[in-house]
Amino acid sequence: MTQTRFADLTVTRWGALYRGRRFACAIGRGGIGHKRGEGDNVTPVGTHRLTDVYVRGDRLQLPGARVIGPRALWCDAPDHPDYNTQVQAPFGASAERMHRPDPLYDIVGVLDFNRAPVRPGKGSAIFLHVWRGPRVPTAGCIAFARVDLVWILERWTEGSRVVVRG
């Protein structure tokens, strides 16, 4: 089991802890566990790093974050060479729209799950993002109230990790 540190965001099915502060969060409707594959709705157990942070620049600013443009997509087609990466529309394979009309992806922290190397079908688009509401399940991501996610990311350091415990 990974030893957690003060700078780690520790996530369980009951909530999250970061820098001594507790947060309500939402996890995948499949619970926390070992991912079986694309679309299983499981939040992957393990220790993860944030590789990128994206924001809807027309809705908020966050220092160091990349802007989600209107053509931004995330490829979720296991048989495509761009699987589990950010791509631009138009795109000929299955992909999730990142520039959404709702606030869920106003802030997106990309976890390194299945990123290096990418294994086709293992799972894609595991993000920290804004929730629909307390404990309303996600498709496998970890979601927070917008104000809480901003608080977390404003204090994020290079040594911080996301530790998901089953």
Side-chain angles (χ1 to χ4, degrees):
M1 184 179 291
T2 299
Q3 184 74 8
T4 58
R5 306 175 304 217
F6 184 69
D8 291 339
L9 173 63
T10 303
V11 177
T12 71
R13 62 184 262 195
W14 305 111
L17 178 68
Y18 185 64
R19 298 193 174 271
R21 188 169 165 188
R22 295 196 179 283
F23 299 93
C25 67
I27 60 169
R29 73 182 46 82
I32 292 174
H34 296 283
K35 294 226 23 106
R36 295 176 301 281
E38 186 69 36
D40 66 3
N41 297 311
V42 169
T43 299
V45 69
T47 301
H48 313 286
R49 298 256 180 212
L50 275 181
T51 61
D52 291 292
V53 175
Y54 293 90
V55 296
R56 280 283 303 264
D58 57 331
R59 296 183 179 171
L60 77 140
Q61 303 297 311
L62 192 63
R66 300 167 68 178
V67 174
I68 296 171
R71 295 177 43 228
L73 306 170
W74 197 272
C75 179
D76 59 8
D79 58 346
H80 196 278
D82 290 323
Y83 178 62
N84 201 23
T85 61
Q86 198 267 330
V87 295
Q88 298 290 314
F91 187 70
S94 176
E96 184 174 1
R97 179 163 298 285
M98 293 185 71
H99 193 272
R100 298 170 57 115
D102 63 29
L104 295 186
Y105 286 1
D106 283 1
I107 309 166
V108 176
V110 180
L111 298 186
D112 65 356
F113 180 80
N114 196 26
R115 299 291 313 280
V118 174
R119 293 165 298 188
K122 181 68 176 170
S124 66
I126 303 298
F127 301 146
L128 302 181
H129 66 76
V130 178
W131 68 14
R132 291 184 194 280
R135 300 191 61 80
V136 176
T138 69
C141 296
I142 304 162
F144 295 89
R146 178 181 167 140
V147 66
D148 293 341
L149 186 52
V150 168
W151 191 93
I152 290 165
L153 293 175
E154 284 178 339
R155 289 156 181 81
W156 201 260
T157 66
E158 191 174 305
S160 296
R161 306 172 301 174
V162 178
V163 179
V164 181
R165 295 202 164 146

